[in-house]
Amino acid sequence: MILGKSSDELRLLGFGDLGPVHIGMTRDQSRAILGGNFDEFFKTTDSTVPTDAYDDLGVHVYFDEGFTIIGVEFLKWSDLSWRGQRLSGADVLEVQQHMVARGEVLNFNSSGFDVDGLGLRIYAPDIGEEDAVIEAVYVSFVKNK
């Protein structure tokens, strides 16, 4: 299965579960699903393993030293959703209300909020301002200890 031009087939189903992409997958397996149209880059100068960037999908896939997925980042123009609510590029307040109504606990910081139960880090640098939108969503595949 190779995803098309849109990441609409990737929905957050639970912690580390995006349907066809999930915990335990290797780089080769994720590339087989997401396709060959990606670029490798090092996210920071300290990075030891390259990140796969699928710019058409608005998705970055992160790996550990064993080339197992540790997280997936969805950029503003991607189509990540959870329980019928779009997350990436969506209105911050709308997403907060949707998550709280479904029992999720939100942990706020200066640039957005985390949803530990789902492994989400929501990047919304304009949080608190009217019409703030979510610029990126990082889906962690690694549980915090």
Side-chain angles (χ1 to χ4, degrees):
M1 169 185 180
I2 297 178
L3 295 181
K5 290 290 183 194
S6 169
S7 61
D8 61 356
E9 294 181 54
L10 293 175
R11 288 181 172 74
L12 181 64
L13 302 176
F15 187 95
D17 186 356
L18 296 166
V21 178
H22 50 80
I23 285 178
M25 291 188 81
T26 65
R27 181 172 69 177
D28 290 342
Q29 290 170 322
S30 69
R31 287 177 174 178
I33 290 168
L34 296 172
N37 191 18
F38 64 90
D39 291 313
E40 286 185 359
F41 74 101
F42 289 94
K43 187 75 171 182
T44 67
T45 56
D46 295 340
S47 296
T48 58
V49 177
T51 296
D52 285 354
Y54 294 87
D55 290 333
D56 289 348
L57 299 175
V59 172
H60 291 171
V61 184
Y62 298 85
F63 307 96
D64 63 14
E65 289 77 18
F67 295 101
T68 300
I69 296 176
I70 58 171
V72 181
E73 181 180 24
F74 291 84
L75 306 175
K76 184 177 175 176
W77 63 90
S78 67
D79 287 324
L80 177 65
S81 65
W82 178 69
R83 294 190 178 180
Q85 170 65 55
R86 181 174 181 191
L87 302 179
S88 51
D91 179 84
V92 174
L93 186 56
E94 184 179 306
V95 170
Q96 289 172 351
Q97 291 170 343
H98 180 79
M99 291 194 164
V100 169
R102 281 146 188 85
E104 295 301 325
V105 175
L106 312 182
N107 299 305
F108 293 90
N109 57 56
S110 62
S111 61
F113 59 95
D114 297 340
V115 186
D116 294 336
L118 295 172
L120 298 180
R121 290 194 303 239
I122 308 291
Y123 178 64
D126 297 331
I127 193 167
E129 295 182 19
E130 190 174 330
D131 299 326
V133 298
I134 295 173
E135 298 291 330
V137 179
Y138 181 81
V139 180
S140 178
F141 283 27
V142 178
K143 290 236 184 219
N144 292 335
K145 295 177 180 175

